């Protein structure tokens, strides 16, 4: 079941997000709130929510990542320029032009990747690669003499580790793996170069503590980002839910319908919309009281929330005692059968209703319309109006039943009308 739209600081609501919030969740629960309550000690959410967070992490951090990559590019370039001029119009070591030739193209490649959708999907492996290249170049291209100097060889590696943690847009675990790999590579390079034991020990201390400190800082930063992501999602989820029944509200229905309508139109798929009304609900409130009425709405709402088990099936409270259901990719026969089973389940709740004229318990009436968005001139809201007309037909036919408007009748149906008694009058 859909749990809500994300705020503007996060990616707009997607169909992947809808799948994440399908009927596998408790209709009264918030996916985000559940994750907050469970915690995420290892910086990992449930699978679909994790995918959504990673997508938002990439999008929200693109601008900052570009700035960091540009800074890294010009830092490496300025280092080469200073080395050239400060050492007598020439490079003091062949390692400098080698680092320049390897590091700068990698940074430019990652910067270009941030400019396209395809490249953005590769940012994590690119970030790891760039981190390893920068870290490796800081010691692999050093001369044997430089490796023997305590502190001289370690400086570039220290900067590389900090850059990996905070400047390549990597999440915590990829950053830790990359930084630890660079640290291990440093020790290997020191031993291969036969560096003095004192150099290995002291440089190793600096490298190890920098790796640890960077890991703690990176962990805390990502934990805060994840917590903010969940809190924002929980607030948006709360705003999109009906406070009484706990299922999505009218606004969430309108937003979801617009998106599914566009999706079905692109895919040339069918769409079923149903409006459902509790029969003689005013009489129920008059007899049993409004608190009992609220309890009735909640029980019926839970049944309606579970009407569809496919990922994008959606149910909401439309207003008062009315509910709405969207079944994308569904045709008229299975749609009618699904709503008919819902009608039977609601009646099977056996909620006593002495004021009903059709049964001794609570019943519902439903209007169902099936439409192909790509093959009709009607709008999404016009289709809802057709479902409302079908619902009215169900009521006129005696209630406690399902009436259907099939695709071939949608174009001929009259919408944009007000009802007065049993008469249809043009608005």
């Amino acid at each position: 079941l859909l749990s809500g739209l994300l705020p503007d600081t996060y990616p707009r609501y997607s169909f992947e997000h809808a799948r994440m919030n399908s009927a596998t969740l408790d209709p009264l629960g918030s996916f985000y709130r559940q994750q907050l309550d469970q915690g995420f000690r290892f910086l990992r959410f449930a699978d679909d929510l994790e995918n959504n967070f990673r997508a938002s992490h990439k999008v929200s951090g693109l601008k900052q990542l570009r700035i960091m990559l540009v800074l890294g590019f010009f830092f490496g370039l300025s280092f080469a320029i200073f080395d050239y001029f400060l050492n007598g119009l020439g490079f003091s070591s062949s390692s400098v032009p080698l680092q320049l030739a390897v590091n700068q193209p990698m940074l430019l490649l990652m910067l270009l990747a941030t400019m396209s959708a395809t490249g953005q999907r590769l940012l994590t492996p690119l970030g790891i690669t760039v981190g390893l290249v920068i870290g490796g170049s800081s010691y692999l291209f050093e001369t044997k003499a430089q490796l023997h100097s305590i502190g001289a060889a370690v400086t570039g590696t220290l900067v590389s580790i900090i850059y990996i943690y905070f400047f390549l847009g990597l999440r915590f675990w990829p950053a830790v793996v990359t930084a630890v790999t660079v640290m291990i590579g440093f020790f290997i390079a020191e031993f291969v170069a036969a560096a003095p034991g004192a150099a290995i020990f002291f440089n190793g201390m600096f490298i190890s503590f920098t790796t640890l400190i960077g890991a703690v800082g990176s962990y805390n930063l990502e934990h805060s980002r994840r917590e903010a992501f969940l809190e924002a999602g929980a607030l948006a989820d709360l705003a999109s839910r009906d406070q009484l029944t706990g299922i999505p509200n009218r606004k969430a229905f309108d937003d979801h319908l617009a998106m599914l309508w566009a999706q079905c139109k692109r895919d040339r798929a069918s769409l079923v919309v149903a409006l459902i009304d509790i029969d003689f609900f005013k009489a129920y409130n008059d007899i049993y009281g409004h608190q009992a009425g609220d309890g009735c709405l909640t029980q019926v709402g839970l049944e309606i929330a579970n009407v569809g088990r496919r990922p994008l099936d959606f149910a909401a409270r439309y207003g008062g005692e009315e509910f709405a259901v969207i079944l994308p990719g569904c045709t008229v026969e299975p749609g009618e059968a699904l709503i008919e089973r819902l009608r039977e389940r609601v009646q099977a709740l056996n909620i006593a209703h002495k004021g009903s004229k059709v049964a001794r318990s609570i019943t519902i009436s439903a209007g169902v319309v099936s439409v192909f968005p790509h093959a009709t001139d009607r709008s999404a809201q016009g289709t809802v109006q057709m479902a409302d007309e079908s619902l009215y037909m169900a009521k006129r036919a005696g209630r406690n039943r399902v009436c259907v408007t099939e695709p071939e009748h949608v174009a001929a149906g009259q919408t944009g009308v007000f009802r007065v008694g049993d008469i249809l009058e043009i608005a």
Side-chain angles (χ1 to χ4, degrees), residues 10 72 96 125 153 190 192 199 217 266 290 310 368:
Y10 294 96
V96 177
E190 290 275 273
V192 169
R266 286 193 300 270
H290 287 283
R310 299 175 310 155
V368 177

Side-chain angles (χ1 to χ4, degrees), residues 159-188:
V159 174
S160 299
I161 289 174
I162 296 300
Y163 198 81
I164 288 168
Y165 275 123
F166 302 109
F167 290 80
L168 291 177
L170 294 173
R171 288 172 288 104
F172 172 75
W173 289 112
V176 167
V177 170
T178 306
V180 170
T181 302
V182 169
M183 179 186 71
I184 294 172
F186 177 83
F187 283 110
I188 293 174

